[in-house]
Amino acid sequence: MTLWTAAEIAAATGGRVEGDFAATGVSFDSREVEPGHLFVAMKGEATDGHRFVAGAYEKGAAGALVSQPVDGPAVLVADTTHALDDLARASRQRTSARIIGITGSVGKTGTKEALADALARGLRGPVHRSIKSYNNHTGVPLSLARMPAETAFGVFEIGMNHAGELAVLTRLVRPHVAIVTAIAPAHSEFFASEAAIADAKGEIFQGLEPGGTAIIPHDSPHRDRLIAAAEPYAGRIWTFGRDKAADIHAIDAIEVESGGTFVTACLPVADVSFTIAQAGAHWVSNALAVMAAVAAVDGDLASAGLALADMAGLAGRGERREVALEGGTATIVDESYNANPASMAATIATLGAMPAKRRIVVLGEMRELGAGSADFHAGLAAPILAANVDRALLVGEGMAPLGRALEGRIELAHLPDAAAAIDMLGGTLAPGDAVLVKGSNVVGLSRVVAALATDKS
């Protein structure tokens, strides 16, 4: 199915068609190009995408969006970065979809995936979502440009690490519903306080369509700050949380044998009972935000509940893998994609609730925490001890304060990199072990998961 014709791309971007074509998808990473795609040759600080145009054609790209002549069908523009933004605006303009934007310090991607699944389960039309964590100044316009015109619901993750960034992106997305999942000290290197982080996340409301809905975490200490940020732009403000004063709240939340939670939730439109497949109190919060958004776009709440019950963990964000060993299995909890103090504490608590003969954490340092980094790392000692962790492998120089806080209290090793963690843990995994692997993405702990999650029986 055609996503964009060359003429439509040229009309959206002010470009000139150099050889007609029709595209079925859009990519700006030549490694992700599939037959029929439009390849956008972006110029960055490290490289120039025009170097990869020929390779994109070889992989089957239907055409390219370029700022210099190339040997193949293309649309020629003055600046490909600006042109991608223009294509995103055109995509948003041509659709009648109900659009949901999601931001927050933690829980963005999981909530985005759960919400997209919940809307799709309702069978009320095609659902488009951001893939991976494409949530920045290039990922958001790419995700918009990939949205088919006939989409019924669009779910977009919007991120930032500096003030002002989210305000620009939300005006591209123009959501009918804007969600803030939670506020935590992520990217605090770039902010004077957690309140400043809340202000930056609150920029998402500036892009709301007239009469749109703002969905805000009631239990956050920054709730009132977020409400104040939403009031000039939102037609309706809903809060969600465990507190009974929240507009959307959990009447009951009962852990079930499978590790998930059975929730009875009160919403402005109805009370709904459902099971969340994912473990942890943070997933109760995520699910309440999902249900609030489904209600806000008049989606099917019963189908949304079924989707939450079926949702599997995401690679790097809670996926559980059973590793066959001689005499039994071990469980790997893959949280390797990213980390900040709030998400670390939440997932460590989830590990503590798991039945296991031995609980092990492989934790990578948390980046972009600024002057408070040492205290944030040392502060993980309390949740680790509360979770009855038996062994901790700490990876990276930034983990030194946590190592000092735990020294003499549990079995401990401080390691320089992911390879050392693989070497230390690989031969000692035993049946009944539960292993949590989590750290900032740049630490590379996904390699630990890949090495451990191999049949060793």
Side-chain angles (χ1 to χ4, degrees):
M1 183 178 295
T2 297
L3 180 65
W4 294 102
T5 66
E8 288 169 339
I9 296 167
T13 62
R16 185 175 73 247
V17 177
E18 301 284 344
D20 195 26
F21 63 91
T24 57
V26 184
S27 296
F28 56 41
D29 185 336
S30 62
R31 295 166 295 184
E32 297 181 355
V33 168
E34 297 178 6
H37 275 197
L38 169 71
F39 175 63
V40 183
M42 307 277 280
K43 289 186 176 181
E45 294 180 3
T47 189
D48 183 348
H50 291 83
R51 294 171 48 205
F52 306 102
V53 171
Y57 286 138
E58 289 176 3
K59 294 183 70 174
L65 186 60
V66 296
S67 59
Q68 61 193 50
V70 295
D71 187 15
V75 173
L76 184 64
V77 297
D79 184 297
T80 52
T81 299
H82 292 160
L84 181 59
D85 286 348
D86 290 338
L87 196 61
R89 290 187 188 95
S91 179
R92 179 65 184 86
Q93 179 67 32
R94 72 180 182 176
T95 186
S96 59
R98 302 289 287 173
I99 304 295
I100 301 101
I102 303 171
T103 194
S105 303
V106 293
K108 292 187 296 294
T109 301
T111 301
K112 178 255 297 182
E113 292 294 327
L115 177 55
D117 286 351
L119 292 169
R121 189 67 168 260
L123 301 177
R124 296 190 178 177
V127 176
H128 177 76
R129 72 186 83 186
S130 310
I131 66 163
K132 301 181 182 176
S133 288
Y134 279 8
N135 63 20
N136 65 4
H137 66 287
T138 54
V140 170
L142 177 68
S143 296
L144 279 165
R146 287 174 164 176
M147 180 170 59
E150 66 276 10
T151 297
F153 297 103
V155 185
F156 295 91
E157 179 179 339
I158 312 176
M160 62 88 206
N161 53 21
H162 291 85
E165 292 176 342
L166 220 150
V168 173
L169 295 177
T170 189
R171 290 188 172 99
L172 276 180
V173 175
R174 287 170 40 214
H176 298 95
V177 178
I179 302 171
V180 176
T181 56
I183 303 298
H187 310 301
S188 54
E189 176 182 354
F190 307 115
F191 294 93
S193 65
E194 195 171 283
I197 295 173
D199 290 340
K201 295 297 184 184
E203 292 173 14
I204 192 172
F205 305 123
Q206 295 177 22
L208 272 171
E209 288 287 88
T213 302
I215 298 176
I216 289 170
H218 182 278
D219 304 335
S220 170
H222 307 290
R223 176 196 63 215
D224 293 343
R225 200 176 194 95
L226 291 169
I227 289 173
E231 282 176 335
Y233 307 100
R236 176 172 61 183
I237 298 174
W238 283 350
T239 61
F240 69 94
R242 300 296 287 267
D243 192 303
K244 298 298 187 288
D247 298 306
I248 293 90
H249 62 263
I251 299 169
D252 289 304
I254 303 168
E255 292 184 13
V256 296
E257 189 174 345
S258 63
T261 308
F262 179 76
V263 176
T264 299
C266 174
L267 287 89
V269 294
D271 290 353
V272 183
S273 294
F274 54 92
T275 298
I276 307 167
Q278 298 301 302
H282 58 297
W283 260 106
V284 175
S285 180
N286 292 347
L288 292 171
V290 166
M291 285 301 201
V294 171
V297 296
D298 299 320
D300 187 327
L301 290 170
S303 295
L306 294 174
L308 288 168
D310 289 342
M311 186 178 175
L314 304 172
R317 291 183 172 86
E319 182 180 32
R320 296 192 182 191
R321 304 191 187 189
E322 296 297 321
V323 180
L325 304 167
E326 186 175 351
T329 62
T331 302
I332 312 299
V333 182
D334 178 12
E335 286 275 359
S336 58
Y337 183 78
N338 219 337
N340 59 50
S343 64
M344 277 282 203
T347 50
I348 291 168
T350 299
L351 177 70
M354 292 175 59
K357 290 184 178 178
R358 185 173 58 157
R359 296 182 181 88
I360 302 169
V361 293
V362 182
L363 303 181
E365 60 184 301
M366 302 176 288
R367 299 289 179 88
E368 297 184 354
L369 292 180
S373 179
D375 290 338
F376 284 128
H377 282 86
L380 296 179
I384 286 172
L385 295 173
N388 295 313
V389 171
D390 298 285
R391 186 181 188 197
L393 276 61
L394 310 180
V395 180
E397 183 179 349
M399 277 291 178
L402 177 57
R404 291 191 290 271
L406 289 174
E407 192 170 1
R409 306 172 80 174
I410 63 171
E411 184 181 345
L412 181 69
H414 189 192
L415 307 169
D417 52 35
I422 294 169
D423 290 343
M424 176 164 285
L425 188 57
T428 63
L429 205 62
D433 284 350
V435 185
L436 169 64
V437 182
K438 187 169 181 65
S440 286
N441 194 36
V442 292
V443 183
L445 294 189
S446 59
R447 299 196 299 264
V448 177
V449 175
L452 295 179
T454 303
D455 192 322
K456 298 174 171 53
S457 59

